[in-house]
């Protein structure tokens, strides 16, 4: 995984999920410190990263945060770590990480399970606009 930027945190997301794509756009708008890079779970590179860190795609729903060479986080823990890096009040969502993972993952799993029904999905992964291309890894 030598092609991963060592100074960026990588968010692996469900590229066909409308909620996930909206969340990625939100993170990009609020990532004022340029902390994150993005990879769709449906891409070969996304699958390679998951294999590298030992995450089974069948056991997660929609998000993995990977800090190359340091750690990875899934489900609500990933969401809280991402929120903590954002500007403004979103940073305070990270404080919910003090709650038991079993509780926060229960809510996360419920939303993840219903995301296509509630928000829909695309036929294919989103293609970033030219000004956002540098935020996405291929």
């Amino acid at each position: 995984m030598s092609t991963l930027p060592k100074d960026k945190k990588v968010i692996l997301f469900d590229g066909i999920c409308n909620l996930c794509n909206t969340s990625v756009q939100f993170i990009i708008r609020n990532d004022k410190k340029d902390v994150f890079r993005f990879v769709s779970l449906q891409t070969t590179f996304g699958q390679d990263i998951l294999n590298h860190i030992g995450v089974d795609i069948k056991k997660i729903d929609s998000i993995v945060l990977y800090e190359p060479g340091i750690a990875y986080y899934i489900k609500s823990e990933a969401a809280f770590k991402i929120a903590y890096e954002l500007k403004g009040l979103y940073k305070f969502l990270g404080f919910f990480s003090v709650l038991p993972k079993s509780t926060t993952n229960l809510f996360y799993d419920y939303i993840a399970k219903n995301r296509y029904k509630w928000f829909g999905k695309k036929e294919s992964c989103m293609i970033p606009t030219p000004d956002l291309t540098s935020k996405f890894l291929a």
Side-chain angles (χ1 to χ4, degrees), residues 103-126:
T103 302
T104 58
N105 280 340
L106 186 69
F107 288 107
Y108 180 91
D109 289 339
Y110 181 72
I111 294 168
K113 179 181 174 187
N114 291 290
R115 69 186 185 275
Y116 294 145
K117 181 171 43 171
W118 295 340
F119 301 99
K121 65 180 182 176
K122 301 177 183 309
E123 292 299 316
S124 61
C125 295
M126 82 172 210

Side-chain angles (χ1 to χ4, degrees), residues 35-119:
V35 172
F36 298 110
R37 293 297 178 264
F38 303 88
V39 178
S40 170
L41 291 168
Q42 287 83 5
T43 63
T44 302
F45 192 47
Q47 295 293 310
D48 290 345
I49 294 170
L50 291 178
N51 287 332
H52 174 73
I53 61 177
V55 172
D56 184 353
I57 186 72
K58 295 175 186 110
K59 295 187 179 180
I60 62 158
D61 275 310
S62 76
I63 192 167
V64 175
L65 175 62
Y66 177 46
E67 297 181 38
I70 300 172
Y72 71 87
Y73 310 93
I74 61 173
K75 298 187 179 193
S76 64
E77 186 176 23
F80 292 141
K81 296 242 180 229
I82 292 166
Y84 187 76
E85 293 289 345
L86 300 179
K87 70 173 187 160
L89 296 176
Y90 306 111
K91 175 178 261 192
F92 294 107
L93 291 174
F95 291 117
F96 284 106
S97 64
V98 300
L99 296 173
K101 279 187 206 175
S102 59
T103 302
T104 58
N105 280 340
L106 186 69
F107 288 107
Y108 180 91
D109 289 339
Y110 181 72
I111 294 168
K113 179 181 174 187
N114 291 290
R115 69 186 185 275
Y116 294 145
K117 181 171 43 171
W118 295 340
F119 301 99

